[in-house]
Amino acid sequence: MMHKTGARLPSGVDAALAKRLERAIEARDVTPVLTLGELVTFPLSCVAASALPDFTALARQQAEKNLFIAAQYALALDVDALAGASLNTDLAQALRAGIEETLIEEALRFPGGPQAAASAMRAQLLHMPSSIIASARPDLVNDGSGALLEFLQEGGALAALNMDEEDRPEAGAPALALALDRFVEADGLAETRLKSVLSDCAQALSGGMLVLTGLGASILALGEDYASQEGQAMGHALMRFVSVCLKGGVLSQKEADRLAIQPFKISATGHTQLTI
C-alpha cells in the first residue's frame, strides 16, 4: 500500500511504522512521503527577498485540482453504476446517460469488473494530495492579499519558510505534510494521537522536512481567534508541541496550559526540519 501511494520511506523503516503511516495517510492526517520538490509547489530556490509565488495563478490551479477531483469522483459513481450491466439495453442506457463509450469498455474489461474499477479510481484520489502547497518567506506575505486569501479559500496551503539559504533542504529530501486541524476533536487537542503520528514522522523523515497545514483552523477549533494575542500564543504553543515531539525537549507548564494539556518532556530525536 505504501508503494502505491508514491511514498519513499528510508531504508530500514520497519513494517509496523510503515503500517502506522499507511493508516495516517488513509485518514488524510498526513500526505504520502514525497520529495520536498514534489510536495511544495515552488522550489525553495525560488523563494527570494524580491519574489513571492503568483497566488492568483495558484488559486486557479487549486480550483482546477478541485474540479478534477470532483469530476473523477463523479466518474467513479458512473462506473459503479455499470455493475451488473451485461445486456445491450443496459449499455445503451449508460450511453444515453452520457457515459463515454471508452470508459464503459475500460470498466467492463477491468479485472473484477466495474465495481473494482470504481474502487481503484477512488483509491487513486484518496492518496492524491488535495492541496497545493506554496512556499514563501513569512515576512514577505501580506495577510491582506486578495490573491492569497482566494488561494487559501480554494483549499491551498502556505508553507512559510523561515530559514537561511544554507539551512534549506534539497528538493529531493523526503517530506510530507501534516494537517494539524485533523487532530483537534470535540474535547480539545488529540494529544496522544498527535504525539504518535509526529513520532512516526520523525522516524520516517530523518534528514527531511515536515510541512504543517491547518494551524489557523486548529486555533479556531480550540476556541481562539488566530488573529488575537491569545490565538497567537496558542499557535506558538502548538508549534512548540510539534517541535518537542520531533526534536525532543520540554513543553513548559505555560505552553501546556495554552493547549489545556499536561507539560511533558521528550528525549532528543532525529533531525527532521519543520516548516509551517
Side-chain angles (χ1 to χ4, degrees):
M1 179 68 75
M2 292 298 295
H3 177 71
K4 292 178 182 177
T5 66
R8 299 175 183 84
L9 292 179
S11 59
V13 170
D14 62 42
L17 170 58
K19 189 67 176 178
R20 291 195 301 272
L21 277 176
E22 178 185 333
R23 289 196 295 267
I25 290 168
E26 290 177 344
R28 308 195 79 171
D29 293 336
V30 298
T31 63
V33 180
L34 304 168
T35 66
L36 186 59
E38 292 169 322
L39 184 64
V40 180
T41 305
F42 284 84
L44 298 183
S45 58
C46 290
V47 182
S50 60
L52 266 179
D54 183 349
F55 289 114
T56 299
L58 284 177
R60 180 176 178 83
Q61 290 177 31
Q62 182 66 56
E64 291 172 350
K65 178 186 278 283
N66 295 342
L67 180 63
F68 172 77
I69 291 174
Q72 289 299 104
Y73 271 118
L75 280 177
L77 286 174
D78 288 341
V79 170
D80 225 350
L82 293 174
S86 57
L87 302 175
N88 288 336
T89 52
D90 295 326
L91 299 181
Q93 184 176 356
L95 286 169
R96 284 196 299 273
I99 304 177
E100 288 289 334
E101 184 175 357
T102 53
L103 180 60
I104 295 173
E105 292 174 353
E106 290 296 327
L108 290 175
R109 72 183 188 85
F110 192 87
Q115 278 188 322
S119 295
M121 292 170 69
R122 282 189 285 264
Q124 288 181 338
L125 291 174
L126 180 64
H127 299 302
M128 176 187 297
S130 57
S131 293
I132 292 174
I133 302 175
S135 61
R137 274 210 357 231
D139 57 311
L140 298 178
V141 177
N142 176 8
D143 291 339
S145 165
L148 170 59
L149 292 176
E150 182 183 1
F151 170 60
L152 296 175
Q153 288 167 356
E154 287 290 344
L158 179 65
L161 303 174
N162 190 13
M163 59 183 69
D164 295 329
E165 184 70 37
E166 60 269 18
D167 293 330
R168 296 176 188 169
E170 297 294 328
L176 59 77
L178 179 145
L180 265 180
D181 52 309
R182 302 281 296 180
F183 296 88
V184 180
E185 299 176 347
D187 56 350
L189 184 68
E191 175 188 3
T192 301
R193 187 163 64 90
L194 181 54
K195 281 182 179 178
S196 176
V197 173
L198 286 170
S199 175
D200 290 341
C201 290
Q203 293 181 64
L205 293 176
S206 179
M209 175 173 280
L210 177 67
V211 176
L212 296 180
T213 67
L215 177 60
S218 300
I219 294 169
L220 288 174
L222 289 169
E224 297 289 354
D225 179 353
Y226 59 78
S228 68
Q229 288 186 346
E230 293 79 6
Q232 291 176 22
M234 180 176 284
H236 285 300
L238 272 170
M239 292 301 92
R240 180 61 183 163
F241 180 105
V242 172
S243 180
V244 169
C245 291
L246 290 176
K247 302 177 181 180
V250 177
L251 187 75
S252 70
Q253 182 70 60
K254 185 176 180 179
E255 292 163 337
D257 288 344
R258 293 284 186 187
L259 304 175
I261 62 174
Q262 294 297 313
F264 61 88
K265 178 180 180 180
I266 293 179
S267 300
T269 56
H271 300 284
T272 303
Q273 291 183 284
L274 171 65
T275 187
I276 61 170

